[in-house]
């Protein structure tokens, strides 16, 4: 009823593509994947550099685009919800030989896609 024109909503959180303009750790032409709040289904995406990573050489654009939300969903479930220690921190236990090593046990039950 306001009579104004609204910008269309563009869905999509994860994307992969080629850098068109860059500064910092990226250069024009780099193959990258990343995420944004929404709008990843656009032809051109703009997001913060910390939300982007270079696609590994053996990965396709499809693999890059599909990786982040699944990985971050798993991380959130294991660390934030499940209480698993942050994998980057040092949680060490002694094994049967008395040597220290990282020990993590993960049971995946009724898993589903992201």
């Amino acid at each position: 009823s306001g009579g104004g024109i609204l910008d269309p909503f563009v869905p999509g959180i994860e994307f992969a593509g080629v850098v068109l303009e860059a500064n910092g750790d990226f250069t024009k032409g780099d193959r990258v994947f990343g995420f944004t709040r929404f709008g990843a289904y656009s032809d051109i995406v703009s997001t913060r550099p910390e939300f982007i990573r270079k696609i590994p050489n053996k990965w396709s654009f499809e693999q890059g685009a599909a990786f982040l939300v699944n990985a971050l969903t798993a991380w959130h479930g294991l660390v934030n919800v499940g209480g698993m220690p942050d994998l980057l921190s040092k949680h060490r236990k002694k094994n049967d030989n008395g040597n220290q090593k990282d020990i993590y046990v993960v049971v995946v039950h009724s898993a589903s896609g992201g």
Side-chain angles (χ1 to χ4, degrees):
S1 65
I5 297 175
L6 299 176
D7 289 334
F9 172 74
V10 179
I13 295 174
E14 53 201 344
F15 64 87
V18 177
V19 173
L20 299 177
E21 295 180 22
N23 56 27
D25 295 332
F26 301 99
T27 57
K28 185 176 180 178
D30 282 346
R31 293 173 3 107
V32 297
F33 66 100
F35 68 94
T36 184
R37 179 69 176 126
F38 287 108
Y41 295 170
S42 300
D43 292 332
I44 297 175
V45 175
S46 178
T47 192
R48 295 167 39 180
E50 57 266 28
F51 297 156
I52 301 172
R53 295 291 180 263
K54 291 182 181 178
I55 295 178
N57 290 333
K58 294 183 179 183
W59 284 16
S60 67
F61 285 112
E62 293 81 5
Q63 289 170 309
F67 175 76
L68 273 178
V69 167
N70 290 298
L72 293 174
T73 300
W75 179 273
H76 174 71
L78 291 170
V79 176
N80 297 333
V81 176
M84 183 174 152
D86 184 327
L87 296 176
L88 300 177
S89 64
K90 297 295 180 189
H91 294 275
R92 315 231 353 132
K93 294 184 179 181
K94 290 189 177 188
N95 63 14
D96 293 337
N97 299 327
N99 299 322
Q100 287 191 353
K101 69 178 206 173
D102 295 331
I103 299 174
Y104 300 101
V105 176
V106 177
V107 177
V108 178
H109 185 273
S110 301
S112 63

